[in-house]
Amino acid sequence: MDPTAKRQKGANWNTVAWDWFPVQCDWDRRMKGLRWRYTRLPTQDTLREQETEEQKDEGKAAPAPEDPVEPQLTEASQVLGALEIRQLSLHLPPRVTGHTWRLVFCTAKDGFSLRNLYRQMEGHSGPVLLVLRDQEGQMFGAFSSSAIRPSKGFYGTGETFLFSFSPQLKVFKWTGNNSFFVKGDLDSLTMGSGSGHFGLWLDGDLYHGRSHPCATFNNEVLARQEQFCLTELEAWVLS
């Protein structure tokens, strides 16, 4: 073979060899990098530990809410004790939370008269809490979103509710079925109505009363009997 051809053949081989070498080096570097790029899959033991921790978290009780603001009364109630007052305050609308309870009417001082109740309510527009006790010692009542007054028709808002301690507190909120909240006549006071039944009805002497399940509040009979006689009635303005 011609020596010149041999040199050309060697030169071509060297050229091919040097062209391949950088490619090989680059491939090695990329492979080395890939060897470090991995994610460790969890083992069965790890999964079991995670499930155990999740179950522990689910079993933890929710943080207890902050204690409600204790209502301040202008004078002691002859019907409700401290426990009943505290329980009722939890169900009052947020807008009256922390407001002073002002006694504007009580049968022990103002007599058994609905007209006297209307008279004592004059000048007040704020929400009213009516608390009653009958001859059997049962405590019950109603929260009215506005002052108790004579009216030609029903008034009030969905904040109105009925309640009863029998002996635990039961609160009957507005169902949305109708808007028969409060109606004040000169000879009777009605709270809640439907199909001819009243949730709470009081006569003009504030002595005889009745209570039936009604559509407004879907309440139970507030007293132990559907018909009852009162021994105490208090009206508290929350403002």
Side-chain angles (χ1 to χ4, degrees):
M1 180 181 294
D2 184 10
T4 302
K6 290 181 178 180
R7 287 195 299 271
Q8 291 177 348
K9 183 178 181 180
N12 291 337
W13 172 253
N14 290 337
T15 300
V16 172
W18 284 104
D19 289 342
W20 174 82
F21 181 74
V23 175
Q24 178 66 30
C25 292
D26 182 64
W27 175 258
D28 290 341
R29 284 194 299 270
R30 292 170 61 185
M31 291 302 295
K32 289 179 180 180
L34 289 175
R35 281 197 295 267
W36 291 97
R37 296 173 186 173
Y38 68 92
T39 302
R40 184 177 181 181
L41 296 176
T43 63
Q44 292 295 327
D45 293 338
T46 304
L47 291 174
R48 281 194 292 269
E49 291 176 359
Q50 292 176 351
E51 291 177 356
T52 302
E53 292 298 325
E54 291 175 356
Q55 292 173 355
K56 289 181 179 180
D57 292 339
E58 291 176 356
K60 292 180 180 179
E66 296 182 0
D67 292 336
V69 178
E70 190 81 14
Q72 299 297 317
L73 281 63
T74 55
E75 52 190 287
S77 172
Q78 301 302 313
V79 179
L80 301 176
L83 178 60
E84 289 81 19
I85 293 172
R86 192 178 304 112
Q87 291 176 339
L88 266 178
S89 67
L90 297 175
H91 298 276
L92 297 175
R95 68 186 179 96
V96 300
T97 300
H99 287 193
T100 300
W101 294 21
R102 187 177 304 278
L103 184 65
V104 296
F105 177 88
C106 69
T107 51
K109 180 177 62 177
D110 301 301
F112 287 81
S113 170
L114 180 58
R115 297 195 181 201
N116 284 352
L117 172 61
Y118 292 147
R119 191 175 297 112
Q120 295 298 109
M121 283 285 169
E122 293 177 359
H124 297 284
S125 60
V128 175
L129 188 68
L130 291 179
V131 293
L132 299 75
R133 181 165 56 203
D134 66 11
Q135 290 182 345
E136 297 187 17
Q138 180 79 358
M139 295 181 295
F140 51 95
F143 173 83
S144 173
S145 59
S146 56
I148 303 298
R149 55 181 172 81
S151 61
K152 294 182 179 180
F154 283 90
Y155 61 91
T157 70
E159 292 178 329
T160 306
F161 63 82
L162 303 178
F163 65 89
S164 174
F165 289 93
S166 58
Q168 300 299 320
L169 173 62
K170 292 183 179 180
V171 175
F172 306 99
K173 300 284 182 124
W174 179 44
T175 62
N177 291 332
N178 62 44
S179 299
F180 302 149
F181 300 114
V182 185
K183 184 176 185 297
D185 296 319
L186 292 180
D187 57 356
S188 66
L189 177 64
T190 301
M191 304 192 73
S193 181
S195 302
H197 295 97
F198 305 126
L200 178 61
W201 180 91
L202 302 175
D203 70 356
D205 293 330
L206 295 182
Y207 181 67
H208 294 97
R210 297 196 300 267
S211 176
H212 298 89
C214 72
T216 311
F217 303 110
N218 192 30
N219 59 285
E220 301 174 1
V221 175
L222 301 180
R224 294 178 182 175
Q225 306 292 331
E226 292 182 349
Q227 299 188 29
F228 54 84
C229 294
L230 294 178
T231 59
E232 295 277 354
L233 185 148
E234 297 175 344
W236 298 84
V237 172
L238 280 58
S239 62

